[in-house]
Amino acid sequence: MTNFILDSTIIEPLSKEKPKQVIVLCHGYGGDGKDISALAMNWRRFLPEGVFISPNAPEVCSINPQGFQWFDLEVEKEEIILEKSLVAEQKLSLFLDQVLDSFQLEAKNLALVGFSQGCMMGIQVALKKKEQ
């Protein structure tokens, strides 16, 4: 399997077959991929041919060093928050490209799900992707 740009928790398809879908679960501020991957335990019975991938955000969280953040929310300057969110967006976009390439799937077979800050990142990335 590919070494992705973001460390990830991967839950293989229930069917044990080659994945036909990939579901990327993006955690919130201070969380991690392992936490949000718990959703896959219920969802995989409805998507038995899907692989669930839950990346850790690229930065250690400033207020919870056991967790991660997509960008720092403790900074007071909005321009810096925007700048950091754009860096995280690029990393998540590259990560999604790596995931699709690794599993030889098209973007139409990708579900991008997020909670809190992970949701913000998912929306930001998805709206700027060329593929639907």
Side-chain angles (χ1 to χ4, degrees), residues 88-105:
E89 174 193 321
Q90 289 175 333
K91 289 180 181 179
L92 181 56
S93 184
L94 176 58
F95 172 79
L96 295 175
D97 292 342
Q98 288 178 326
V99 166
L100 290 172
D101 287 346
S102 175
F103 292 101
Q104 300 172 334
L105 292 170

Side-chain angles (χ1 to χ4, degrees), residues 30-86:
D32 64 20
K34 187 174 181 182
D35 288 344
I36 198 164
S37 72
L39 291 174
M41 296 309 165
N42 262 334
W43 294 5
R44 68 194 293 228
R45 62 191 165 136
F46 300 104
L47 295 162
E49 297 174 325
V51 60
F52 289 80
I53 304 178
S54 304
N56 290 336
E59 298 179 1
V60 172
C61 184
S62 60
I63 63 168
N64 175 20
Q66 277 107 18
F68 297 88
Q69 63 191 21
W70 295 96
F71 53 91
D72 193 354
L73 293 175
E74 293 295 298
V75 177
E76 293 187 22
K77 294 186 177 181
E78 291 178 13
E79 334 49 85
I80 294 175
I81 293 173
L82 176 60
E83 179 184 316
K84 294 287 188 173
S85 74
L86 293 174

